[in-house]
Amino acid sequence: MADTLASLRSLMAFQSPPLDALLVPSEDSHQSEYVSARDKRREFVSGFTGSAGLALITKNEARLWTDGRYFLQATQQLSDQWKLMRIGEDPPIDVWMSDNLQKEAAIGIDPWCVSVDTAQRWERAFAKKNQKLVQTSTNLVDEIWKNRPPAEINPAVDHPLEFAGRSVAEKLKALREKLSSEKTRGIIITALDEVAWLYNIRGSDVSYSPVVHAFAIVTLNSAFLYVDKRKVSSKVSSSLQANGIEVREYGAVSSDAAMLASNQLDQARGVNSGQNGVSQNDTCDNDFIWVDPASCCYALFSKLDANKVLLQQSPLALAKALKNPVELDGLKNAHIRDGAAVVQYLVWLDKQMQEIYGASGYFLEGEVTSKKIPETMKLTEVSVSDKLEGFRASKEHFRGLSFPTISSVGPNAAIIHYSPQAKTCAELDPNSIYLFDSGAQYLDGTTDITRTVHFGKPSAHEKACYTSVLKGHIALGNARFPNGTNGYSLDILARIPLWRYGLDYRHGTGHGIGSYLNVHEGPHQISFRPQARNVPLQVSMTVTDEPGYYEDGNFGIRLENVLVIKEADTEFNFGDKGYLSFEHITWAPYQMKLIDLSILTPEEIQWLNRYHSKCREILAPYLDKNEMEWLEKATEPVSA
């Protein structure tokens, strides 16, 4: 790491102008949360493997900013050459740079890896001391990264209408209507999941996300896909062409963005104005280009006339979040199969913990009978998560995991986004809490579920914490709220039972989830963060419900289900707004021995019994006799 920083500083000194600082973000050219191996530049320079973080390298310092999910992990992974900056506790990076870097300092960025929003925010902060953002012509990290993974050539595939639910033609028509209504004549689409959704294509360029490295430009009269053409088969090419989409090389997006700005793109590609039902006269007033400032990189924005850009959230973000009936059916079916896999895993793990470790098991509370265990029989966080993946892989339409499984025992469960590694992971411990947060990609939907279990004798404190998390989970899932409510307003519901004891958690409570797309999907969320105010929750959106509690060095608890937003049947309708509620589509039991029933209200117990009854009914066709007997025992009705 020392050599890496020294090499970067040497390169910084030779830039024109010489750089006083270099910013290395986590994102790729599409502002993706999860990136391909060759785009993990921030991880390469810092050693920190979390999905979110921003590195700053100055002439004599190296600092890394990350959020509360990763404080503990970053502390463990960063060398003493790095200083951890805690987002929400320490000054934001733009404030820190403005205050601590010298006047007229030059701060380098790769404009392909920074969003318009971010770059403009930094520029505003720098103005006070005449500091300037310098766009480097190459990525300096790439220049010193000797063994940078090569670009993979993975095929793009059509996503069939039986799973997509809406045709490309329908989506393009709706998009062009939106462009016209906003007085724009074109849009640059940079978010990978938006490109995949719009053109009904999928791929495997990024682990855990079925997307293709590609850009799109759509005008009132034309549509383009920018992708390495080696990834596009004749079959996919034909279906794209049938929808009027021209396939161009990935790198051509830069010059085409410039041509779009000068209103020459359609003419240069031989497209006649008006061919998509928009007359030539309609295009005269539409002189703006639509760019999403959160996902469009600064490099492409720089090709445009800033005075003729509509900087506004992509219209595809909301369109994609509002699931159509086919997508909703697919998501529900995928979650049923996924729930069956989770139950099969718990049945297997319960048996293993009893046989190998002498644990009392999933149902009984008892002291562990200590046994000498041969090395070959020991269970680890990685070996058991591999087994869970095996149960999922046996299910119809399985295409892989939706994120790296968080399989965590005891103190590791307190690391919110813990990622176990085969060489360093912990052995399972019957005397400790075990938390697993996992999900899969199926052709008909994406899943995400968290359960927390104990195979020995949980302490009264662990039970009280688990039950408080469960109470918050139930409270949010049972919420009814008027149309127009955003996720910021609901986040508190999941925290109140924890706040009662002076407990809390540092992550948001819910995120959208894709339809065989990204496991984290906006634009809505349930969170204390200000951006959760931006978009109201609406019918047919999906969102997770995942409160937690994490005690550093001891244990972590999280419970997560996926919910679908639906219309609520309320007795009254104040203000004629209409009311909404949630429907759970995740099916797996909550562990009864971790619940302190004396803390639950009669209504919460009733809800728990109802949910467990549905688990039995819904999962029964997917389980064998032994598995079903286990589930029946795990979901037996309880009373206070």
Side-chain angles (χ1 to χ4, degrees):
M1 205 59 66
D3 290 346
T4 300
L5 290 175
S7 300
L8 273 178
R9 287 177 177 132
S10 175
L11 274 181
M12 287 160 57
F14 281 101
Q15 297 300 298
S16 179
L19 300 179
D20 298 286
L22 178 69
L23 287 155
V24 183
S26 305
E27 291 78 15
D28 59 12
S29 300
H30 307 270
Q31 304 306 299
S32 308
E33 177 187 14
Y34 293 113
V35 299
S36 65
R38 66 187 273 100
D39 289 320
K40 293 182 177 179
R41 298 178 180 94
R42 188 227 61 230
E43 180 181 320
F44 170 73
V45 299
S46 68
F48 167 63
T49 62
S51 68
L54 177 58
L56 174 70
I57 297 148
T58 69
K59 291 174 180 177
N60 46 29
E61 279 192 281
R63 292 175 180 251
L64 180 116
W65 275 257
T66 193
D67 62 55
R69 294 171 298 168
Y70 293 113
F71 290 170
L72 199 54
Q73 181 179 335
T75 303
Q76 294 172 354
Q77 291 184 330
L78 292 174
S79 73
D80 55 11
Q81 291 187 295
W82 287 84
K83 179 171 173 54
L84 173 62
M85 302 295 283
R86 293 171 166 82
I87 293 174
E89 297 177 14
D90 292 318
I93 192 163
D94 49 343
V95 173
W96 189 92
M97 289 191 291
S98 174
D99 291 347
N100 290 277
L101 296 177
Q102 67 199 48
K103 276 190 174 181
E104 300 182 351
I107 299 108
I109 59 160
D110 176 352
W112 288 95
C113 298
V114 175
S115 71
V116 179
D117 254 355
T118 301
Q120 291 185 337
R121 187 175 71 249
W122 290 343
E123 286 179 329
R124 286 193 295 272
F126 295 163
K128 285 189 293 185
K129 287 166 66 174
N130 286 330
Q131 295 160 333
K132 57 183 178 293
L133 205 56
V134 176
Q135 299 186 34
T136 59
S137 56
T138 60
N139 191 296
L140 301 192
V141 175
D142 294 351
E143 290 193 36
I144 65 158
W145 192 352
K146 296 287 185 278
N147 298 314
R148 186 179 175 216
E152 295 182 38
I153 309 300
N154 300 311
V157 295
D158 283 320
H159 190 50
L161 198 57
E162 66 177 291
F163 300 123
R166 282 181 76 195
S167 69
V168 177
E170 285 178 88
K171 292 177 181 179
L172 281 171
K173 183 172 184 288
L175 174 57
R176 288 188 172 114
E177 286 169 358
K178 193 75 178 165
L179 292 180
S180 215
S181 71
E182 293 287 344
K183 297 287 187 279
T184 55
R185 56 184 172 80
I187 182 170
I188 301 175
I189 303 159
T190 54
L192 298 180
D193 61 334
E194 291 185 8
V195 176
W197 179 85
L198 177 65
Y199 289 161
N200 283 350
I201 56 171
R202 297 294 189 268
S204 54
D205 284 351
V206 178
S207 297
Y208 312 108
S209 302
V211 292
V212 185
H213 277 139
F215 296 96
I217 291 178
V218 176
T219 74
L220 294 172
N221 306 295
S222 58
F224 304 91
L225 174 68
Y226 299 88
V227 62
D228 186 324
K229 286 187 177 180
R230 291 174 294 178
K231 298 176 182 178
V232 183
S233 67
S234 55
K235 178 175 178 289
V236 171
S237 182
S238 296
S239 61
L240 290 167
Q241 286 171 8
N243 286 293
I245 301 159
E246 182 181 338
V247 179
R248 305 262 289 138
E249 281 294 350
Y250 183 78
V253 69
S254 190
S255 56
D256 278 13
M259 292 179 75
L260 177 67
S262 60
N263 208 1
Q264 295 176 307
L265 182 60
D266 282 355
Q267 293 93 314
R269 308 313 307 160
V271 175
N272 295 319
S273 186
Q275 72 171 38
N276 281 292
V278 180
S279 74
Q280 186 131 19
N281 290 338
D282 290 336
T283 65
C284 297
D285 299 330
N286 302 16
D287 204 26
F288 277 71
I289 307 301
W290 192 330
V291 156
D292 186 329
S295 63
C296 182
C297 57
Y298 203 47
L300 288 177
F301 174 73
S302 300
K303 301 284 181 185
L304 309 175
D305 177 352
N307 296 317
K308 292 189 175 180
V309 174
L310 174 66
L311 284 173
Q312 191 169 291
Q313 185 177 77
S314 165
L316 300 182
L318 182 59
K320 176 165 52 64
L322 297 171
K323 302 293 183 279
N324 63 57
V326 170
E327 289 174 319
L328 286 176
D329 283 348
L331 278 161
K332 289 175 183 179
N333 290 331
H335 280 82
I336 291 169
R337 297 193 304 275
D338 200 69
V342 169
V343 169
Q344 288 169 331
Y345 173 61
L346 285 170
V347 173
W348 172 83
L349 189 55
D350 183 19
K351 186 167 185 276
Q352 297 295 306
M353 292 302 289
Q354 291 182 62
E355 290 180 356
I356 297 173
Y357 292 93
S360 52
Y362 187 90
F363 301 107
L364 301 175
E365 291 187 53
E367 301 301 333
V368 175
T369 315
S370 58
K371 299 170 94 176
K372 188 163 175 63
I373 304 156
E375 204 65 38
T376 52
M377 288 180 66
K378 288 179 179 177
L379 301 177
T380 69
E381 293 166 329
V382 168
S383 69
V384 296
S385 72
D386 287 347
K387 189 72 178 179
L388 173 55
E389 183 175 354
F391 284 117
R392 285 194 163 107
S394 69
K395 302 292 178 264
E396 186 182 20
H397 299 321
F398 176 80
R399 287 297 180 273
L401 300 182
S402 56
F403 59 97
T405 298
I406 299 168
S407 172
S408 52
V409 176
N412 290 340
I415 303 171
I416 296 168
H417 269 209
Y418 174 71
S419 181
Q421 304 300 314
K423 290 180 180 174
T424 55
C425 69
E427 184 182 356
L428 261 61
D429 177 2
N431 295 306
S432 295
I433 271 180
Y434 172 61
L435 181 158
F436 63 104
D437 181 350
S438 62
Q441 295 287 4
Y442 302 94
L443 282 174
D444 52 351
T446 301
T447 67
D448 188 359
I449 175 176
T450 309
R451 289 295 184 265
T452 304
V453 294
H454 200 303
F455 293 100
K457 188 176 174 61
S459 68
H461 175 58
E462 287 170 330
K463 286 184 181 183
C465 293
Y466 181 97
T467 310
S468 300
V469 171
L470 177 62
K471 284 171 74 74
H473 178 75
I474 294 171
L476 177 59
N478 282 345
R480 291 185 173 196
F481 49 95
N483 265 307
T485 303
N486 56 43
Y488 189 89
S489 304
L490 298 185
D491 180 77
I492 189 175
L493 296 176
R495 297 179 194 271
I496 286 174
L498 287 156
W499 286 355
R500 184 179 166 199
Y501 296 101
L503 305 177
D504 205 350
Y505 52 97
R506 287 192 177 105
H507 56 76
T509 305
H511 58 81
I513 192 163
S515 178
Y516 185 41
L517 268 177
N518 291 356
V519 71
H520 294 156
E521 182 178 90
H524 60 293
Q525 54 183 291
I526 298 175
S527 175
F528 54 87
R529 295 188 177 92
Q531 56 264 44
R533 291 191 180 106
N534 296 347
V535 179
L537 300 173
Q538 297 171 47
V539 169
S540 81
M541 282 179 169
T542 56
V543 68
T544 60
D545 172 2
E546 50 177 312
Y549 171 64
Y550 311 90
E551 203 164 278
D552 289 358
N554 290 325
F555 63 86
I557 295 162
R558 184 161 61 252
L559 296 171
E560 176 184 21
N561 282 4
V562 172
L563 315 175
V564 171
I565 301 171
K566 61 178 185 176
E567 290 180 355
D569 183 19
T570 52
E571 186 176 353
F572 303 104
N573 183 16
F574 181 80
D576 288 328
K577 285 184 170 183
Y579 281 71
L580 305 176
S581 62
F582 294 116
E583 174 188 352
H584 286 258
I585 62 171
T586 299
W587 305 107
Y590 305 97
Q591 191 178 24
M592 296 310 304
K593 81 171 182 185
L594 269 171
I595 300 174
D596 182 344
L597 290 172
S598 69
I599 302 176
L600 294 184
T601 64
E603 291 80 12
E604 287 165 340
I605 291 173
Q606 187 182 19
W607 180 89
L608 187 64
N609 285 335
R610 253 198 334 265
Y611 176 83
H612 276 162
S613 172
K614 281 188 176 177
C615 278
R616 290 194 299 274
E617 177 191 336
I618 287 168
L619 298 181
Y622 297 85
L623 304 175
D624 67 21
K625 183 171 177 289
N626 175 51
E627 292 158 352
M628 198 58 213
E629 284 174 1
W630 185 96
L631 181 60
E632 283 170 354
K633 192 172 180 183
T635 57
E636 282 175 355
V638 292
S639 54

